[in-house]
């Protein structure tokens, strides 16, 4: 391998500030291996040069390096031994680590090994095979100067670190629980997670977020224009923040707040929004339900920026202690308030748990016959410390307000216990509660579809069964 970087312009794309360090490493390696064989000097030069570039993509994780060595170490050993030379284990391991450092942080496409799930590893199997074959040919042929143009395309290129911006949802007093689930989703993409906190008075929210595990930075934006968290006001702030920090992902919870905000952000940035994500298999590949949850779509996004809402019930909440994230002001943005104006919010107040995050939920359907009969559920819920929901049929009939609706067009819940009372089990309702840990159904119709997904079913008249349950719990 020549000492000049110009020998392989297609393999490495160097920034000016990187070129000096790489040249220094070239010189050091050449001197160190002066008395070794030509192929060893050349191969080590390749690896050390690549490792120098890899340093610009982030800190090396020892765990992932070990996993990669386990997966590719045998192949490397086989290729090396084909040259007819014997290498010490230390030499093979060190050479493997050099190459695998590159594979960890420099990418071409997806990793071929399914069980190696690394956020910053993207390795095309074809490129990987071509890369090792080229090394094998180079070793066995004892080439003084490899012809880098023989490679059809760069196998290694500088990877862009995945960095996520999470839009914190709050009410200016406390952090909404959905934000913690969204942070967990962002952590599966990469370790660089920034939270944007916008509102009229957010000091209390910032104090809470500082302690959340996994948050690396908090951006603060206080402005009266953010009153009511109107999407038209928040979008310019998010755009300005992205332009400065160049995030790869922007996330929000799949709540009314996130569903209202992120489509506007995505449209402004001219990318496709990805909604209701339940799993993240790679930085560019997501799983989301379709057809009311009857099918799962695996979606690979080709956009350089991914804008997505996540189904919060699919991700664990991030721990609210152990973090120590620094806070700074968000970039200035021209916020327009002439497009829409927040007037007021009418919220129903209750001493019961919030429906979307409650551990126990009791929902009523059209079988309750009237809104007055929902008192049966309220009494039972108070005994159990549960939240109360409703099917769409009950909401459309005017029994209860629409903020109690559970289902595809309502709230998505996944409590530890879900009790469906007088609910037939329409597919739209099941889409909003079928991820519950334990489902109990009470219905007088034994053929009701709800029994197909229920863990426990009671075929009985709800007007007798529910009061009996309440009485038993009172004792």
């Amino acid at each position: 391998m020549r000492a000049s970087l110009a020998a392989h312009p297609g393999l490495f794309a160097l920034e000016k500030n990187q070129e000096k360090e790489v040249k220094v490493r070239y010189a050091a390696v050449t001197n160190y291996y002066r008395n070794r064989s030509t192929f060893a000097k050349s191969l080590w030069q390749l690896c050390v040069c690549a490792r120098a570039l890899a340093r610009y993509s982030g800190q090396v994780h020892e765990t992932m390096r070990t996993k990669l060595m386990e997966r590719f170490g045998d192949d490397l050993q086989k290729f090396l031994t084909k040259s007819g030379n014997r290498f010490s284990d230390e030499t093979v391991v060190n050479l493997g680590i050099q190459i695998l450092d590159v594979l960890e942080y420099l990418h071409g496409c997806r990793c071929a090994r399914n069980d190696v799930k690394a956020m910053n590893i993207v390795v095309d199997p074809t490129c990987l095979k071509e890369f090792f074959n080229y090394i094998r040919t180079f070793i066995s042929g004892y080439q003084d100067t490899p012809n880098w143009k023989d490679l059809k395309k760069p196998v290694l290129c500088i990877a862009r670190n995945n960095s996520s911006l999470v839009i914190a949802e709050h009410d200016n007093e406390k952090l909404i629980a959905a934000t913690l689930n969204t942070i967990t989703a962002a952590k599966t993409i990469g370790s660089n997670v920034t939270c944007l906190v916008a509102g009229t008075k957010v000091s209390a929210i910032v104090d809470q977020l500082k302690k959340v595990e996994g948050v690396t930075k908090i951006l603060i934006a206080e402005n009266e224009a953010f009153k009511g968290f109107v999407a038209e006001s928040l979008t310019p702030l998010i755009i300005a923040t992205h332009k400065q920090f160049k995030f790869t992902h922007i996330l929000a919870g799949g709540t009314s707040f996130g569903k209202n905000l992120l489509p506007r952000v995505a449209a402004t940035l001219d990318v496709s929004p990805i909604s209701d994500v339940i799993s993240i298999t790679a930085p560019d590949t997501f799983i989301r339900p379709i057809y009311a949850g009857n099918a799962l779509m695996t979606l690979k996004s080709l956009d350089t920026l991914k804008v997505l809402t996540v189904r919060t019930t699919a991700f664990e909440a991030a721990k609210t202690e152990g973090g120590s994230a620094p806070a700074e002001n968000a970039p200035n943005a021209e916020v327009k308030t002439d497009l829409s104006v927040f007037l007021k919010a009418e919220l129903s107040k209750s001493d019961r748990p919030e429906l979307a995050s409650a551990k126990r939920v009791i929902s009523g359907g059209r079988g309750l016959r009237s809104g007055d009969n929902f008192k049966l559920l309220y009494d039972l819920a108070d005994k159990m410390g549960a939240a109360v929901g409703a099917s769409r049929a009950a909401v459309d009939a005017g029994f209860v307000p629409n903020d109690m609706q559970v289902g595809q067009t309502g709230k998505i819940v996944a409590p530890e216990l879900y009790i469906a009372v007088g609910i037939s089990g329409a597919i739209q309702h099941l889409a909003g509660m079928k991820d519950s840990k334990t489902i109990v159904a009470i219905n007088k119709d034994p053929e009701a579809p709800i029994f197909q997904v229920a863990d426990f079913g009671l075929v009985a008249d709800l007007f007798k069964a529910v009061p009996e349950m309440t009485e038993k719990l009172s004792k």
Side-chain angles (χ1 to χ4, degrees):
M1 180 184 291
R2 298 171 186 166
S4 171
L5 295 176
H8 46 84
L11 188 63
F12 300 121
L14 296 174
E15 301 289 343
K16 290 184 178 179
N17 62 337
Q18 298 172 334
E19 187 171 339
K20 182 178 179 180
E21 178 176 352
V22 174
K23 285 184 177 180
V24 170
R25 285 175 176 260
Y26 258 79
V29 172
T30 302
N31 182 63
Y32 184 78
Y33 288 98
R34 187 178 300 279
N35 297 322
R36 307 209 175 193
S37 63
T38 303
F39 81 88
K41 286 192 291 186
S42 299
L43 189 57
W44 276 87
Q45 284 177 333
L46 162 66
C47 296
V48 175
C49 175
R51 187 172 186 177
L53 298 182
R55 289 187 57 204
Y56 288 90
S57 295
Q59 183 179 0
V60 174
H61 299 289
E62 293 296 333
T63 302
M64 190 51 59
R65 175 188 295 171
T66 302
K67 287 183 179 180
L68 285 169
M69 190 62 197
E70 291 173 358
R71 300 304 172 194
F72 299 112
D74 291 341
D75 292 339
L76 182 62
Q77 176 70 66
K78 291 177 184 177
F79 290 146
L80 288 173
T81 54
K82 284 191 176 182
S83 66
N85 292 278
R86 294 185 176 274
F87 299 90
S88 68
D89 290 341
E90 181 181 3
T91 300
V92 174
V93 170
N94 287 337
L95 178 57
I97 288 175
Q98 294 276 8
I99 294 177
L100 296 175
D101 277 349
V102 180
L103 297 181
E104 181 175 357
Y105 289 107
L106 311 178
H107 72 86
C109 196
R110 176 162 325 284
C111 183
R113 315 291 173 144
N114 294 331
D115 49 356
V116 181
K117 295 180 179 179
M119 297 312 126
N120 291 330
I121 301 179
V122 194
V123 180
D124 188 307
T126 303
C127 290
L128 182 64
K129 182 178 180 181
E130 184 180 359
F131 177 63
F132 276 124
N133 282 341
Y134 191 81
I135 291 179
R136 180 179 59 187
T137 304
F138 171 45
I139 291 175
S140 60
Y142 289 89
Q143 299 179 26
D144 289 334
T145 305
N147 183 9
W148 298 105
K149 293 182 179 179
D150 289 347
L151 289 174
K152 296 180 180 178
K153 60 180 178 179
V155 178
L156 308 175
C157 58
I158 297 178
R160 180 184 179 189
N161 261 359
N162 294 305
S163 58
S164 301
L165 175 67
V166 173
I167 313 301
E169 184 177 355
H170 60 92
D171 60 3
N172 286 312
E173 295 179 0
K174 65 180 184 299
L175 190 68
I176 303 301
T179 303
L180 299 177
N181 304 92
T182 308
I183 290 172
T184 299
K187 286 161 59 178
T188 65
I189 297 171
S191 58
N192 188 352
V193 179
T194 300
C195 286
L196 175 62
V197 184
T200 55
K201 190 176 181 181
V202 299
S203 57
I205 311 303
V206 173
D207 291 339
Q208 295 175 50
L209 271 176
K210 284 182 178 179
K211 302 175 184 178
V212 176
E213 186 178 65
V215 177
T216 56
K217 183 190 295 184
I218 300 172
L219 301 176
I220 306 171
E222 284 189 336
N223 194 320
E224 285 299 320
F226 301 139
K227 184 179 180 181
F229 310 105
V230 179
E232 289 82 353
S233 299
L234 290 174
T235 298
L237 171 66
I238 297 172
I239 301 300
T241 303
H242 169 65
K243 285 183 178 179
Q244 177 170 326
F245 293 97
K246 306 297 182 184
F247 297 103
T248 58
H249 298 73
I250 298 177
L251 300 89
T255 60
S256 298
F257 169 80
K259 292 177 181 178
N260 179 48
L261 174 62
L262 288 198
R264 176 177 285 271
V265 173
T268 305
L269 293 170
D270 195 25
V271 298
S272 298
I274 306 168
S275 62
D276 214 19
V277 172
I278 62 171
S279 180
I280 300 173
T281 59
D284 62 349
T285 307
F286 312 93
I287 297 176
R288 58 182 300 270
I290 56 175
Y291 299 122
N294 284 308
L296 297 178
M297 169 193 288
T298 299
L299 183 151
K300 182 173 182 179
S301 174
L302 301 180
D303 291 323
T304 55
L305 170 65
K306 284 75 175 174
V307 178
L308 55 145
T309 61
V310 300
R311 179 176 289 190
T312 54
T313 57
F315 298 90
E316 296 291 332
K319 295 181 180 179
T320 55
E321 55 184 21
S324 57
E328 62 183 64
N329 290 328
N332 294 325
E334 184 180 352
V335 180
K336 296 181 179 180
T337 58
D338 56 341
L339 296 176
S340 62
V341 178
F342 173 77
L343 297 179
K344 64 177 181 177
E346 295 182 2
L347 303 175
S348 57
K349 295 184 179 181
S350 174
D351 294 331
R352 301 185 189 92
E354 202 275 324
L355 180 58
S357 58
K359 293 184 179 180
R360 291 177 287 275
V361 174
I362 303 173
S363 288
R366 189 159 44 191
L368 283 160
R369 300 177 185 171
S370 70
D372 293 338
N373 289 332
F374 262 78
K375 187 178 185 305
L376 295 173
L377 303 190
Y378 297 146
D379 292 341
L380 179 59
D382 291 340
K383 297 295 182 182
M384 298 179 59
V388 178
S391 67
R392 178 170 180 173
V395 172
D396 288 347
F399 296 170
V400 291
N402 57 13
D403 62 349
M404 292 176 59
Q405 181 180 331
V406 173
Q408 182 181 10
T409 55
K411 289 179 176 158
I412 308 293
V413 299
E416 295 177 1
L417 174 63
Y418 186 88
I419 302 178
V421 181
I423 296 176
S424 63
I427 188 173
Q428 291 85 357
H429 184 76
L430 299 181
M433 46 66 71
K434 66 180 182 180
D435 291 332
S436 304
K437 305 299 184 294
T438 302
I439 300 173
V440 177
I442 302 175
N443 200 300
K444 66 180 181 180
D445 179 9
E447 302 299 325
I450 189 68
F451 289 120
Q452 297 178 10
V453 297
D455 299 291
F456 302 94
L458 176 60
V459 180
D461 185 349
L462 70 89
F463 294 103
K464 294 180 180 180
V466 174
E468 288 180 10
M469 294 173 63
T470 306
E471 183 181 354
K472 294 286 186 182
L473 290 172
S474 300
K475 293 181 180 181

